[in-house]
Every structure is written in structure tokens, then in C-alpha cells.
Amino acid sequence: MKLVMGVDLETEVELSPAAKSEVAVFSPYSSPSTALLLQRRVVAWSKETGSPATVRVRLGDRSFDLHKDPLVSKCKYFSEASASIQSGDDDIELPASFPGVCEAFEAIALFCYGDAVALDPFNVAAVRCAAEFLGVAGLGARCDLYINQVVLQSWDDALIVLQRCQPLLPVAEELLIVSRCVESLAFMACMEILDPEQLRRDDLQPGGAGAATRALVGRRWDAELVKELAARDLWIKDLVALPFDFFERIVQALRRQGMKEKYVSPVVLFYANKWVLSKKTHKFWATTDDEAVDGETDANRRAAAILEGVIGLLPAESAAVAAGGAIPVAFYFALLSRSLTLELSDESRTKLREQVASNLQFARVDDLPLPEEEEADRSIADSREVRAMESIVSNHAASVQRRGVEAVSELWDRYLVQFAGDPKLRPERLAELIGVIPAGDRKTHNHLYEAINTYLVEHQGLSGEEKATLCGHLDCRKLSHEACIQAVQNERMPLRLIVQALFVQQLHTHRAFTECSDSFRCMHSGELVPGAGVYTPSPGCPAVPTSQPLSSSSPYDSHRGPRDAKLRARDDASDYETASFRIQALEQEIISLKQTLQRHNTLKGSASARRESKEPSFRVAADASTPAIIKRRATVSGSCIGSMRWGSQRRCASRILRVFARLAVFGRGRSRGKQSKCSAATEQPNCM
């Protein structure tokens, strides 16, 4: 008989199928298998002592026939249970709280029989926890020594042990196996980042950890692209594969050990992308979880739990600024869009929206969420995505400390353009969304004009009152020159807005003409000697007396101070308000004149009918004798303002505008006689 380590190799022992499968999964390092060695050792002990195995230990679905003496001498648990062990066959069933799988118990049984236990990263955590539970003297110290000297010195071994600790909780936590692995992994990750060779790769190659998140800036969020970037750094890829409880502790350890936020934040981003934002992961959870009644609900529940943890790991606003944009703005909006389909706690939801609000000024319109599919009975403006953004932007506008007000206003107007063409969008809902931004926060109204114009193109059946309500949010003074030209030529806009745009366009033209004229006069009149304050005329130009100021030589002096510029801007605003008031008064006068003409025509028609009924012969004679008068009256009633076509209204508005221009712009420097002539010219079109 040949003996190796006290084992009879000639004794053939067959393993059960369950034991074979468990051994194959548990530890690839075990060769020969622990179960085979234990069974051979039991047979050899029986032959040596002549006593059969009298104790049957049950663990789950498996049972082990062992001898009493080795178990009682080495295990405190079996020693305390020796009173129940009789000379006959007795069963001892280990409780469900026993940590570790069956191979851990087999390793402990081999140790009780006097054989050495082959420890490896796959079984050391289970053997350590099982030895602690059974009270095996000496084996726990050997496991701790192996963990400290072997496992914690290797990145891969520490990862394996940490993953094996998940089913061993809370015993593995009490024995400090988890905490030791977490601290070791965090330390080695810091060393990986501080490695000079790694730093050189980060600076020179596009695939380094520093460049991974920079590649996402200014782009729409793409989960597959982020997954590819995460796979370029192996240490990040390994951490992302961990359960969230362990991952959270490692991230906290990384920050505690001094890793910069620009390296920690991308790890959190990659983890959230894999387990929360990836559609493949969600589909995998929904289709492979056999225990869940509703796979979709269970997948959402698991994603919600991870998302709440990720929100807690996001850096604070000050830390995010210090990180130098380590997290792209699109990531916050991607989390917001995903959170709308999950059930989060109020605290997590509020914190996420605060993070989104703090990054509004840096966002692009493509980052803002929109529903992926349109609902048949509801417009896009009533979707949960738009309502969430409405709440965030409204809170930002109402906050005391607002930053990037103009950028946020422009972003919101661009966002309205995205769904302004929705056929199901109601005008009052669009007006409500426009009012989210205060009127004074908008520096330009170009994008707001684009949104309203897009809505009017799609909804051509709006009444004049509804158009006036929507266009009332527009301020023509904040439209660019090109937008003013478009507004003037846009037949869908109300007449009031067109006239206001014409007036503003004329102000722009006059200002441009003034600046051009001033530049031309300054160029050909002379130059100012810098620092001396002396005017030097150009050759061929008459000299200006030194006692006369240079500004008095022309009414269009381009060297006016900031005070004169403010006065000019205030005069333009006053002219604009005066013109607006005159336009409103003119509209009221037109309406009154139209009503008067209608009443006059109605009364005249009734009187003519009565006269015809009384004097038919005289009426016929009058018709024959006075055709010119009737034609003239028909012409007047047919050309009243109420029945004018669009071309006639535009020509009338142009004549009115020319009168206003002479009054508002060029009438300031004229004499009282000329002003009275302008007033008479103004009254003449009003009487039309």
C-alpha cells in the first residue's frame, strides 16, 4: 500500500455528482479535490484504528460519515455536542447559519484528521469563517497569516477573496477580512495612479484614465462608448464588476487615502453606467431572474437601489469644481432621465435635482431629457421629462444665488424649440413654459422667437388673441437684426409685432448709419495725437479753431463718453415705448373708426330701405341721375380699414412707421415749426 500524506491512494472512492460539481466551482487550485482526499482519509482511519465512522454530519443536502475522536479533539463545536453523540450512528446537522460551502467543512475535517489544508484565494475566506464558527484551534491563525502575507499583496487575489466574502457576511466582516481587502485594493489603486509610467500613459495616450472622461465632454451620452472607455483601465474594470456594497467602501477608502477627485469620480461614473444606465444590464436582469414574479419590476428595484447609492457617492459641488470637470454634465442629465422611471427616496431625488441645477449653465440642449416615445393622448410638454426640467429650471430661477442666468435662459429657449412643433401642444401650456424664465433674464429673444414661430407654423388655426398672447412674450429690442428682418417678413406674426419689429429695425439701421458716418468723418477730418490731446487736421482739410471742442464740429461725434452712450440708449428705449404707445392708440382708433363706419352703413342701409319702400319712382330716378356719388361712397366703404387686405395693411403700416420715424428719430433736432408740420403729418394718416 502506497501512502502519500497519510492517504491510501489505492483506495478508490467515488464522489457524488453534487460533490463533483461543487468542487469544480469552488476552487480551481484544488488538485486532487478536497472531497476525494477526505473520503480516502476516512477509509484509511478506519483501517488503522479498526473503528468505523460513527458520526454523520449533515450540511444542506449532503452528509459526511466521520469518526468521533478526530472531530471532538479538534473542534470546539463538536466537543460541546459530544454529550449527544452515542456509540451508535448519530446525526449532527449543522445550522443554516454555517458560513461557507461544503468544501470549507471538508477542509476542516481533513485538518481534524491531521492533514494539511491547501489554502488558496478561492477557499481561504470560507475556511476562515467556518473555522471560527466550529472553533477549530490553530486553523484560523493559519488562514489570517495566508491572507496577510499572500492575498493582500496581490490585486487579483484580493479581488477574489473580496468577491468570495459576499455570501459569508456578516462573519467575514466581523473577522475583518472585508475591511483588509478593501484597504489593500484602495492602496494598490492609488499606487497604480501614482505610477510614473501610468501617468505618462494618461498624458500621452487617449485611453488613459485622465482622458477617458474628457472624451465624453460635449457629446451626447452613449452607454456603449462609456463602457469601452472603462475597459481601457483594468483596475477600473475590476472595481466596476464588484457588488455595490464593496464598491462603495472602496470608493470611500480611495478618497480617505488621498486619491484626487478627478480619478475617483470617473470610477463612480463607469459603475453607474454599467449597472444603472446600460439597457443591456436592465434587459439581462429582467429576463434571467427566475425567482422574481415580474422581471421588469425586479430589474427596476435593483437599479433604483444602486442609483441611490451612486447619488450618495457623487462629489459635492465644491469637489466637482476642484475635479476640473471629471464628470461630464451629460452624466447628471442621464441619471435624471433614468431616475424618472425608478422609485427613489425623496432625499435622493432632491439631491440629484440639485446636482442637475448646479450644472445647468454648462449643459447643452442635447443633454436635456426628452421622452423616447410619444404618447398618443398626451403632448411632449406634459411628459415627466419636460415637467422635471420645468421644476428644476423654475427652482433655479427662483433661487437666491443664481449663476449663469443668461446661459440657462438661452438653454431653456433652445429646449422649447425641440418640442414646439408638437401638434398636441396647447398654446396656454407653451405660454406657461415660456414664463418659467423671468422676462429680465433673457439677454436675447432669438430662440424664443424661433420656438413661437415653430409653434405658429404647426398650429395655423390659432385666433388673433392667442397669437397676441404668445407673441406678447417677445421683446423686439432683444431680437438680432436678422431676426427682426424675419419677423417683419413673417405673415404669421400679429400686426403689432410686425410694426414694433419695423421700428426696431429702423433704430438698428439708424444706429449703424450713425456709426458709419461718425467713422467716416473721423477718418477724413483728422486725428487726435495720443497723450497730447491736440487735434491735427488732415492735409487739405480746414483747421478747426483750438478754442472750439472737437465734439461740436459734428452732431454725430463717435468720441462721446459713456454718459452720452447711456443717454442715447435711454432715448432709444423712450422712443420705443412711445412708438408702442402710439401703435396701441392707433389700433384703438382704427377699431373705433371701423365700428363707427359699420354703424353708419347699417343705419344708412335701413334708411335707404325705408325710402325705397315709400318712393320707388324717385329712387330709380336718383339712381339714374347720381351714379358718381354712389360710386364714390361705395369706394369709401370698401376701402375702410376693417376690410383691407394684407398688402393694404402693410402699406398703411409702412406709412405710419415713416411718420413715427420722422417724429421719434429725426425730429429731435428740428425747430418747433418743423415739429408742428410733423404733428400735422401724423394727424393726417390717423384721419385715414
Side-chain angles (χ1 to χ4, degrees):
M1 179 180 296
K2 298 180 181 179
L3 295 176
V4 178
M5 295 178 59
V7 180
D8 184 5
L9 298 181
E10 294 182 355
T11 304
E12 299 294 336
V13 179
E14 289 293 333
L15 296 177
S16 62
K20 291 181 179 180
S21 61
E22 184 176 349
V23 167
V25 172
F26 185 78
S27 175
Y29 295 158
S30 301
S31 180
S33 67
T34 307
L36 180 61
L37 291 176
L38 177 61
Q39 292 188 17
R40 290 181 175 179
R41 193 70 183 91
V42 170
V43 172
W45 184 276
S46 298
K47 291 182 177 180
E48 291 177 0
T49 60
S51 60
T54 58
V55 177
R56 175 167 294 177
V57 180
R58 297 185 180 276
L59 179 59
D61 297 335
R62 294 186 59 186
S63 60
F64 303 90
D65 294 331
L66 305 174
H67 295 84
K68 176 182 176 181
D69 294 338
L71 294 179
V72 172
S73 61
K74 294 292 182 68
C75 295
K76 182 180 180 181
Y77 181 87
F78 292 109
S79 176
E80 294 176 352
S82 61
S84 61
I85 300 177
Q86 305 297 330
S87 58
D89 294 340
D90 294 313
D91 293 346
I92 299 177
E93 185 173 359
L94 295 176
S97 60
F98 177 78
V101 293
C102 294
E103 188 173 352
F105 178 77
E106 292 170 350
I108 292 176
L110 271 177
F111 181 78
C112 293
Y113 277 99
D115 289 352
V117 178
L119 297 176
D120 56 65
F122 290 90
N123 68 356
V124 63
V127 172
R128 177 67 181 91
C129 294
E132 184 69 20
F133 182 86
L134 297 176
V136 181
L139 184 57
R142 294 186 182 183
C143 293
D144 288 335
L145 185 63
Y146 180 83
I147 292 174
N148 293 333
Q149 295 185 354
V150 178
V151 172
L152 301 183
Q153 309 303 320
S154 170
W155 174 270
D156 294 334
D157 292 346
L159 276 176
I160 293 173
V161 172
L162 188 60
Q163 291 174 341
R164 296 286 172 166
C165 287
Q166 187 177 11
L168 302 175
L169 297 175
V171 180
E173 186 67 48
E174 296 174 356
L175 298 175
L176 304 180
I177 301 176
V178 175
S179 60
R180 283 183 285 175
C181 292
V182 165
E183 295 296 331
S184 176
L185 289 172
F187 177 77
M188 286 185 282
C190 292
M191 293 299 101
E192 176 75 10
I193 292 298
L194 296 177
D195 181 25
E197 186 67 21
Q198 178 67 22
L199 292 176
R200 188 184 66 83
R201 291 198 303 268
D202 290 348
D203 294 335
L204 300 180
Q205 297 182 4
T213 54
R214 290 196 296 269
L216 303 174
V217 177
R219 305 182 60 173
R220 185 186 294 271
W221 187 261
D222 187 355
E224 295 303 319
L225 174 61
V226 178
K227 183 179 179 180
E228 294 178 2
L229 294 176
R232 296 179 181 179
D233 288 310
L234 296 180
W235 70 276
I236 295 179
K237 184 178 179 181
D238 292 336
L239 294 183
V240 167
L242 290 173
F244 181 76
D245 294 338
F246 297 152
F247 174 79
E248 181 181 17
R249 296 182 61 173
I250 290 179
V251 170
Q252 294 172 353
L254 290 174
R255 289 171 174 161
R256 187 170 56 252
Q257 294 187 15
M259 180 180 284
K260 294 182 179 180
E261 192 61 41
K262 66 178 181 180
Y263 298 115
V264 179
S265 296
V267 182
V268 180
L269 181 147
F270 293 138
Y271 192 90
N273 179 76
K274 177 178 177 61
W275 299 107
V276 179
L277 301 178
S278 177
K279 295 182 179 179
K280 292 183 178 180
T281 302
H282 179 81
K283 184 178 180 180
F284 175 77
W285 281 344
T287 56
T288 59
D289 196 351
D290 299 333
E291 298 179 358
V293 178
D294 187 358
E296 187 74 17
T297 304
D298 183 70
N300 288 335
R301 178 182 57 80
R302 298 172 66 176
I306 297 178
L307 179 56
E308 288 188 351
V310 168
I311 294 174
L313 290 178
L314 291 177
E317 185 176 356
S318 58
V321 173
I327 297 183
V329 178
F331 173 69
Y332 293 102
F333 289 93
L335 290 183
L336 175 65
S337 179
R338 185 71 176 97
S339 67
L340 298 176
T341 61
L342 304 175
E343 295 182 2
L344 301 181
S345 62
D346 295 339
E347 181 181 359
S348 299
R349 193 177 300 275
T350 302
K351 184 176 181 180
L352 177 59
R353 296 197 175 192
E354 290 176 354
Q355 294 274 8
V356 172
S358 63
N359 288 275
L360 275 176
Q361 56 181 328
F362 309 110
R364 301 180 306 115
V365 67
D366 293 338
D367 299 334
L368 274 61
L370 284 174
E372 296 181 359
E373 298 179 359
E374 296 185 9
E375 299 184 8
D377 56 343
R378 189 171 63 174
S379 66
I380 299 177
D382 295 327
S383 62
R384 55 192 174 191
E385 288 81 4
V386 176
R387 290 195 178 274
M389 287 306 307
E390 178 185 6
S391 175
I392 293 173
V393 176
S394 178
N395 293 335
H396 179 272
S399 62
V400 178
Q401 297 179 352
R402 295 186 298 165
R403 290 177 297 178
V405 175
E406 297 177 357
V408 174
S409 302
E410 183 177 355
L411 175 69
W412 181 250
D413 291 342
R414 288 175 178 268
Y415 186 57
L416 295 181
V417 176
Q418 301 295 316
F419 55 88
D422 183 12
K424 298 184 288 294
L425 179 58
R426 297 172 283 108
E428 55 272 13
R429 176 58 178 160
L430 179 59
E432 182 181 353
L433 291 175
I434 293 174
V436 170
I437 297 295
D441 290 353
R442 288 186 170 94
K443 183 180 180 181
T444 175
H445 281 206
N446 289 349
H447 300 292
L448 182 59
Y449 168 78
E450 183 181 358
I452 294 177
N453 184 42
T454 303
Y455 184 80
L456 294 180
V457 169
E458 188 64 32
H459 303 77
Q460 299 183 2
L462 293 179
S463 63
E465 183 180 356
E466 291 174 337
K467 288 183 178 180
T469 302
L470 287 178
C471 295
H473 296 278
L474 287 172
D475 188 351
C476 294
R477 291 173 294 182
K478 294 185 178 181
L479 292 177
S480 63
H481 184 65
E482 293 77 8
C484 276
I485 294 176
Q486 294 180 9
V488 170
Q489 299 175 354
N490 194 347
E491 298 182 357
R492 291 179 292 272
M493 294 295 166
L495 180 60
R496 178 185 299 180
L497 181 68
I498 293 176
V499 176
Q500 291 177 353
L502 280 169
F503 182 77
V504 172
Q505 183 182 359
Q506 187 182 19
L507 289 179
H508 291 169
T509 304
H510 173 65
R511 188 177 295 110
F513 174 77
T514 303
E515 294 175 357
C516 181
S517 176
D518 293 345
S519 300
F520 180 81
R521 293 175 67 88
C522 180
M523 183 184 303
H524 290 79
S525 297
E527 299 176 352
L528 280 174
V529 179
V534 180
Y535 176 74
T536 305
S538 300
C541 295
V544 180
T546 57
S547 60
Q548 181 182 5
L550 181 62
S551 60
S552 64
S553 62
S554 172
Y556 302 103
D557 188 8
S558 62
H559 297 286
R560 296 177 181 175
R563 181 178 179 182
D564 294 336
K566 292 182 180 179
L567 292 176
R568 184 187 300 178
R570 186 166 57 191
D571 292 341
D572 292 344
S574 178
D575 294 341
Y576 180 82
E577 294 175 357
T578 304
S580 300
F581 175 76
R582 291 177 179 175
I583 292 171
Q584 295 177 6
L586 181 60
E587 288 180 348
Q588 296 295 330
E589 186 177 352
I590 290 173
I591 294 173
S592 177
L593 180 60
K594 180 179 178 181
Q595 293 175 354
T596 303
L597 291 175
Q598 288 178 352
R599 286 197 301 269
H600 177 71
N601 293 334
T602 303
L603 294 175
K604 188 174 181 180
S606 60
S608 299
R610 287 195 301 270
R611 194 161 48 249
E612 286 177 359
S613 62
K614 293 181 180 180
E615 301 176 358
S617 59
F618 177 77
R619 179 63 178 172
V620 173
D623 291 341
S625 61
T626 59
I629 298 175
I630 295 175
K631 281 185 178 181
R632 191 179 299 113
R633 289 178 178 175
T635 303
V636 172
S637 66
S639 63
C640 67
I641 297 177
S643 60
M644 291 171 66
R645 292 191 299 272
W646 172 254
S648 301
Q649 293 181 3
R650 185 176 291 278
R651 288 193 296 273
C652 180
S654 300
R655 289 196 297 271
I656 295 171
L657 183 61
R658 286 196 293 273
V659 174
F660 289 166
R662 289 196 294 272
L663 284 174
V665 180
F666 299 106
R668 289 198 294 265
R670 297 185 179 182
S671 63
R672 294 183 178 179
K674 294 182 179 180
Q675 290 180 358
S676 62
K677 291 180 182 180
C678 292
S679 301
T682 307
E683 294 176 357
Q684 182 178 357
N686 288 340
C687 296
M688 295 174 59

